Amino acid sequence: MSAVGVVSSRSCLHPSVWLLKPGIQKASSFGLHMAARCAAKDYYEVLVLGGGAGGITMSARMKRKVGAENVAVVEPSKTHYYQPLWTLVGGGAKQLATSARPTGSVMPAGVEWIKSRVTALDPDKNCVYVENGSKISYKYLIIALGISLHYEKIKGLPEGFHHPKIGSNYSAHTVEKTWKAVQDFKEGNAIFTFPNTPVKCAGAPQKIMYLSEAYWRKTGKRSKANIMFNTSLGVIFGVKKYADALLEIIKERDIAVNYKRNLIEVRADKQEAVFENLDKPGVTEVHQYEMLHVTPPMGPPDVLINSCVSDEIGWVDVDKETLQHKKYPNVFGIGDCTNLPTSKTAAALPSLECLTELFPW
């Protein structure tokens, strides 16, 4: 994903789609897309929306099936980030620069990179529109647009990040502030949040908490830290097996967990965080913090909201067994932008990867 962009998962194609004829030329071995490509065409056999992990993966797979010249990826970001590394950046174990690559360097060789943002989808006419108004048509469409971050839905953000003591591992613009806040911690409340929305990598909000706790133990500050995990959920984690193990760790490390608490405001100038009690709508609590890690609310990309390819919320409406769109048979959705009943995380990629073997491509 981009600086505040997305990581998408990958897809499989339904067996009913067209078969690759034996005589069709296949792409050469995987290479790096280093040189500038010729001007983009206005039609591709396979068009991929999104250049995150899922989009890049599927463009490479489709290149091998239909030939690089027949595949294009629409992605506006010049930099591709490996976001799982940001947990370690926020925890001081890695540098942000190590998570970044030029997007062109990860694009499969020969695949067309359309350096623009998709603004509208028209699956009834098998085309999409990009920022300059150009129309791009396709035979098959793979939607891999990821999930969007919404810091602005928390009052006081994102402008609050200009103050010290606050960070977020979910953005390239704020992840280094997390490590700074961890290092500068002196004494008081260290608060880690989980929002009242779907999130990508649901474990990440806790990972940085455990890394911070370990650092404070190592540096002799642990006794001065009141560590709080304020989560909008009613459980520590959605999978019971892991939840049970995490609760043991939380008990051992003397971490306070406050359930059904949703961050709604940050008063960064006063180092105050305001939480709504979801069990008592309208009732709020104000906590002073010495360090605050924010996991932002998240949701579907704007272009998918009220789109005919999406459900009532804005997620691409796909069959959970095939990832094929429920209405448009030549449209597929992968990863975080879909309404699949899976975790929105790169860790889900292996399970989706095996499904792609069902394709006759």
Side-chain angles (χ1 to χ4, degrees):
M1 73 183 181
S2 62
V4 288
V6 302
V7 171
S8 301
S9 300
R10 42 190 90 149
S11 164
C12 66
L13 299 183
H14 192 274
S16 64
V17 297
W18 58 278
L19 295 174
L20 185 65
K21 295 180 180 179
I24 293 180
Q25 180 183 0
K26 293 190 176 182
S28 59
S29 59
F30 184 87
L32 296 181
H33 182 112
M34 299 298 293
R37 306 300 304 162
C38 59
K41 302 184 295 184
D42 58 8
Y43 172 83
Y44 296 90
E45 289 196 27
V46 181
L47 182 64
V48 181
L49 305 183
I56 292 296
T57 298
M58 288 311 300
S59 64
R61 182 173 290 272
M62 293 301 102
K63 167 190 169 178
R64 294 193 292 270
K65 298 295 186 180
V66 304
E69 70 279 5
N70 297 313
V71 181
V73 178
V74 180
E75 171 55 52
S77 302
K78 296 180 180 179
T79 303
H80 177 99
Y81 287 100
Y82 179 68
Q83 289 184 59
L85 200 64
W86 288 354
T87 289
L88 298 179
V89 175
K94 293 289 183 180
Q95 297 296 313
L96 178 61
T98 62
S99 70
R101 296 287 187 276
T103 298
S105 73
V106 299
M107 196 70 63
V111 167
E112 190 65 53
W113 174 22
I114 300 172
K115 305 175 183 68
S116 189
R117 189 181 308 275
V118 62
T119 57
L121 291 78
D122 190 349
D124 291 305
K125 296 181 179 178
N126 297 319
C127 68
V128 304
Y129 294 87
V130 294
E131 278 181 321
N132 65 2
S134 297
K135 181 177 76 171
I136 305 171
S137 299
Y138 57 82
K139 186 172 184 178
Y140 294 95
L141 180 69
I142 299 175
I143 305 173
L145 291 171
I147 193 169
S148 294
L149 309 182
H150 293 291
Y151 289 101
E152 77 284 353
K153 291 187 177 182
I154 300 172
K155 186 177 180 181
L157 296 182
E159 60 272 18
F161 287 114
H162 293 299
H163 292 263
K165 309 292 187 179
I166 177 175
S168 174
N169 285 1
Y170 278 87
S171 168
H173 301 297
T174 58
V175 62
E176 292 175 305
K177 291 182 64 65
T178 299
W179 176 230
K180 176 67 173 171
V182 171
Q183 288 178 296
D184 290 348
F185 182 90
K186 293 182 175 60
E187 183 177 3
N189 291 332
I191 305 176
F192 300 81
T193 74
F194 192 102
N196 191 28
T197 66
V199 302
K200 55 183 173 182
C201 194
Q206 290 187 60
K207 292 174 186 177
I208 184 58
M209 177 173 67
Y210 302 132
L211 287 172
S212 300
E213 193 272 345
Y215 176 79
W216 293 326
R217 275 192 285 114
K218 181 179 179 180
T219 55
K221 297 180 180 179
R222 181 61 184 90
S223 62
K224 299 180 179 180
N226 178 34
I227 301 177
M228 304 165 60
F229 186 61
N230 282 15
T231 173
S232 64
L233 302 179
V235 294
I236 193 64
F237 198 73
V239 181
K240 187 178 185 303
K241 176 176 69 172
Y242 301 126
D244 291 344
L246 289 169
L247 287 173
E248 289 296 322
I249 294 172
I250 285 169
K251 182 179 179 180
E252 291 172 4
R253 301 190 184 184
D254 192 25
I255 295 172
V257 179
N258 298 310
Y259 297 108
K260 294 299 188 79
R261 300 299 192 272
N262 184 43
L263 180 65
I264 60 172
E265 182 180 359
V266 175
R267 302 165 183 166
D269 57 332
K270 299 178 181 178
Q271 292 177 215
E272 292 178 347
V274 182
F275 293 86
E276 180 182 14
N277 184 335
L278 297 180
D279 284 332
K280 300 177 181 178
V283 175
T284 60
E285 304 169 357
V286 180
H287 293 279
Q288 195 81 25
Y289 65 82
E290 168 67 6
M291 185 265 181
L292 175 66
H293 178 268
V294 177
T295 301
M298 304 180 199
D302 288 344
V303 71
L304 295 179
I305 296 175
N306 298 321
S307 170
C308 54
V309 301
S310 304
D311 62 16
E312 64 279 2
I313 299 174
W315 306 112
V316 180
D317 195 18
V318 297
D319 184 289
K320 68 178 182 179
E321 302 295 337
T322 66
L323 309 190
Q324 185 178 32
H325 196 273
K326 292 179 180 178
K327 179 180 178 181
Y328 302 101
N330 63 331
V331 175
F332 300 84
I334 62 175
D336 295 350
C337 67
T338 69
N339 58 6
L340 290 170
T342 58
S343 298
K344 296 184 182 297
T345 171
L349 289 179
S351 61
L352 295 179
E353 172 72 10
C354 64
L355 292 177
T356 63
E357 300 306 325
L358 296 174
F359 281 94
W361 280 357

